Amino acid sequence: MTDHNTRVFKIAMKIIALFSIILMIGLVIGPVAPATASETQPLDVLQTRIDQGLAVLNGAPCRTPACRTRQEERLWQLSLELFDFATMSRLVLSSRWHDFTPEQQTAFVRQFAAFLRRTYLPVLLERYNGEQIEYVRQVPLSPTRTRVDARVLWRDRSIPISAKMIYRKGSWKIYDVSSLGISAVKNYRAQFHWMLQQETPGQVIEILKNKKGRTL
């Protein structure tokens, strides 16, 4: 990877992290009222949640450890309603998904979600600094999948970003976020592909269980 590509990759992953954080911020108020796929547009769902969450986050800060713990737990419970961690996990493992037993698949989804919680929620509570989202369009990919394109207004930059969403159990859920040509799912897929060349599925789950930080 060239120095230029390395810089682009690092910037993209920072923006993906930031956008993922802002998406979780959008859950502070709670889920949008249930509706059918034809009644609720994914862009509207996303925008409503983010706008409501940003309004809360821009209010009085949560300063005590106890308050932060309650806030993180609430954010996590609500994030389970917006992010489709099962679909993300299958896409991340790709063809290696079937190397895992059904029990291991369930364990991987659980530990991958927990890893993402450890990675993003503390940053959410510490580093949000007034970033905003400008919504561009939604692009249908199939009857149950769509891509929402937006721009993150970050410092003096306007950076394009996309969230892929799937309609599941009466609501639209996110299963991938990408920016500057870098997909979060593809990034983690490359890391797990390398790990599975060295480790068994059971060992990968155990490593994931104890791993901290954004990079595996």
Side-chain angles (χ1 to χ4, degrees), residues 10 12-18 20-21 112 115-116 118-121 123-124 127 187-188 191 211-216:
K10 288 181 177 179
M13 290 312 298
K14 287 180 181 178
I15 299 303
I16 286 170
L18 173 63
S20 299
I21 290 164
F112 185 51
F115 166 75
L116 294 176
R118 293 193 301 273
T119 299
Y120 292 116
L121 281 185
V123 181
L124 157 64
R127 298 186 185 177
N187 173 57
Y188 283 121
Q191 295 183 56
K211 190 67 178 178
K212 295 181 180 180
R214 191 169 298 124
T215 302
L216 295 166

Side-chain angles (χ1 to χ4, degrees), residues 27 30-32 49 76-85 168 171-174:
L27 294 170
V32 175
R49 292 181 178 183
W76 179 244
Q77 291 304 317
L78 292 171
S79 72
L80 293 173
E81 300 179 18
L82 181 60
F83 289 86
D84 188 338
F85 293 115
R168 285 241 194 249
S171 64
W172 288 97
K173 296 179 181 291
I174 297 165

Side-chain angles (χ1 to χ4, degrees), residues 67-92:
C67 177
R68 280 179 164 245
T69 297
R70 291 193 300 270
Q71 190 177 49
E72 179 177 332
E73 183 59 32
R74 185 181 183 193
L75 283 169
W76 179 244
Q77 291 304 317
L78 292 171
S79 72
L80 293 173
E81 300 179 18
L82 181 60
F83 289 86
D84 188 338
F85 293 115
T87 296
M88 289 176 67
S89 296
R90 290 195 298 272
L91 292 173
V92 160

Side-chain angles (χ1 to χ4, degrees), residues 52-66:
Q52 291 175 331
L54 289 175
V56 171
L57 199 68
N58 287 324
C62 189
R63 299 184 183 281
T64 67

